[in-house]
Each structure stands twice: as C-alpha cells, then as structure tokens.
Amino acid sequence: LSRQSDQLRVFDEAEIVRGRGTSAGFRAIGVGYPERLNLAFDSEEMALRLLWKGNFANVDHGRFRVSGSDQITFPKGIPFHRLESLDKHWPYKSKTNYMFPHDHGYQFRGYRLDKLRRPTFQYQYGDIKVEDFFETIEEEKGNAKFKRTLTFDAPSAQKLFYFRAAAGENITAQSDSSYTMGKLKIHITSGQKGIVRKGNPAEVLVPLELPKGKSTVTVEYQW
C-alpha cells in the first residue's frame, strides 16, 4: 500500500487482507499469491468463495475489493455435510438462524503461515479437525493453477459425509474425478470419485468415509 494508491500488491510472498470482501462475506480472508492467482476464503462458513487472476485487491476501511480479472464466484454454503440422501438440500444460513454454521458442528480456528506467508486455514467439523491449504502450481510460465489440500484428523472412524468441492452453474463431468464449471476445471487428484448433483446451484460432491487419524483430499482448480 502507498499514499497514492489503495491497491495491495503482491511480490515474492503471499499477501493477506481481512474484512468484508466482494461476494465473500463479512469475515472474508483474501490471499494473493506471487503467481498472480488469488482467492477469498469465508471464515464464517469456512468455504472457498472467490478465485481470480492478476492484480490482488484494493483495501479501504475494513473491506477489500477484487482488482483483478477472470473471477470465479462460488455460492454461500458450508464445505461438509452429512446428507440423509442425495435428494436433500444443502444447508444454508437463514435470516433468523444466527447459530449457523455452529449448529452444524463448525468452528473456525484461525490460520498459520508458512515461510512464503501462505495460510493454512484451520477449522473444526464436529470432532474432525481440518486443515485447508492452497498452493499454486505453475508447470509453465503464466499457466498456474491452485492445488488445495484438505487434511483431516479424526479421533475415530467417520460415517459417510460429503465435501462440496464446487458449486455453480453448468457443471459437467469429464470423468469420475474431473469436472468443468464454465471456464473452471476441477480435478480431484487424491483418488476419490465425485458426484455431480443437478440443481440451482449444481454441485460437485465428494463422498467421504474417514478412517481414524489423518487422511487427505486434494483438488486442483484451473481457469
């Protein structure tokens, strides 16, 4: 930041801004990466809400605005849920439910930074501890993508629940682990298979039955 500009610039390390974010909620955490990929994480619902490229963000009085391009927006909603059946609706916060998502077992535990200042978001889903880490992969110059690693630490074996890896319009399955949502490509790289559930929004759901101890799910986002 400078006196002449409210734009937060990213150089050799990741930069973080917190506050009300454009389409990312009142408790958004924006992260800009040196490879010119950016994201916004909703710490209230513990969900990925925005992806964009290029310039990071403009900051003003407790809020930030996306200043790049190629923006991908995900709808509101928690990342994990134990659906009774695939016909049931994904839960959302109502105007009168002030306990959401704590009434579904969620608790945000903050984040820690690595040596490149990239955050690992930490939160709880029931008795499962979750660490949510994003890193950039640039196999060729100017063509980067996000790799997301979810690490679960369960005190006991967990019955079936679902991870909502993506949600939006026009989701199409390319295989049982690769999907497109407009210009966004989603690839589950840790061996699990997903399900496309039609609706408004459509969803990519990944069924999970966790063993006791630590396990991981990895997903790549490219656009």
Side-chain angles (χ1 to χ4, degrees):
L1 292 171
S2 71
R3 293 180 182 272
Q4 291 76 35
S5 173
D6 64 357
Q7 186 175 105
L8 184 60
R9 301 176 185 276
V10 181
F11 294 97
D12 296 330
E13 298 177 333
E15 293 291 343
I16 295 176
V17 61
R18 297 184 299 178
R20 183 176 182 179
T22 308
S23 303
F26 287 91
R27 294 178 176 85
I29 302 171
V31 189
Y33 295 76
E35 294 79 9
R36 296 180 64 78
L37 295 185
N38 314 281
L39 63 86
F41 185 86
D42 184 348
S43 66
E44 184 175 13
E45 296 192 350
M46 281 133 278
L48 175 64
R49 294 290 302 280
L50 287 172
L51 299 171
W52 70 99
K53 292 182 177 180
N55 293 337
F56 178 33
N58 295 81
V59 183
D60 180 41
H61 297 293
R63 67 176 62 201
F64 65 91
R65 306 184 308 279
V66 169
S67 60
S69 60
D70 298 304
Q71 184 172 321
I72 304 291
T73 302
F74 299 102
K76 292 183 178 181
I78 52 181
F80 314 115
H81 186 59
R82 286 186 164 87
L83 288 167
E84 295 178 7
S85 75
L86 288 174
D87 296 326
K88 297 291 185 179
H89 293 293
W90 199 260
Y92 292 92
K93 182 179 181 179
S94 68
K95 292 182 179 179
T96 58
N97 185 3
Y98 302 108
M99 292 301 295
F100 187 89
H102 303 293
D103 57 345
H104 288 274
Y106 282 90
Q107 183 68 51
F108 188 59
R109 299 295 187 188
Y111 56 86
R112 68 172 187 272
L113 303 179
D114 68 5
K115 62 182 180 181
L116 297 177
R117 294 184 51 81
R118 299 175 300 185
T120 296
F121 302 107
Q122 300 169 305
Y123 48 98
Q124 194 113 357
Y125 173 52
D127 57 0
I128 306 169
K129 294 179 181 178
V130 184
E131 295 191 343
D132 199 345
F133 176 67
F134 293 82
E135 60 187 311
T136 52
I137 298 175
E138 193 171 31
E139 296 171 346
E140 56 184 43
K141 189 68 175 178
N143 188 24
K145 58 186 174 183
F146 272 126
K147 177 183 177 181
R148 180 183 192 181
T149 301
L150 290 151
T151 303
F152 303 95
D153 190 353
S156 60
Q158 300 291 313
K159 294 182 179 179
L160 175 68
F161 66 97
Y162 293 89
F163 163 47
R164 191 167 76 156
E169 298 180 355
N170 303 318
I171 294 178
T172 303
Q174 305 300 314
S175 70
D176 56 12
S177 60
S178 296
Y179 311 88
T180 58
M181 188 181 81
K183 58 187 176 183
L184 178 67
K185 299 177 182 178
I186 306 113
H187 185 202
I188 304 165
T189 56
S190 48
Q192 295 87 357
K193 298 179 180 180
I195 300 167
V196 174
R197 193 164 73 147
K198 302 297 183 182
N200 185 21
E203 299 163 321
V204 177
L205 300 180
V206 183
L208 298 176
E209 293 184 73
L210 301 182
K212 179 181 178 180
K214 291 190 176 182
S215 54
T216 59
V217 173
T218 54
V219 183
E220 292 180 351
Y221 300 92
Q222 187 171 23
W223 72 105

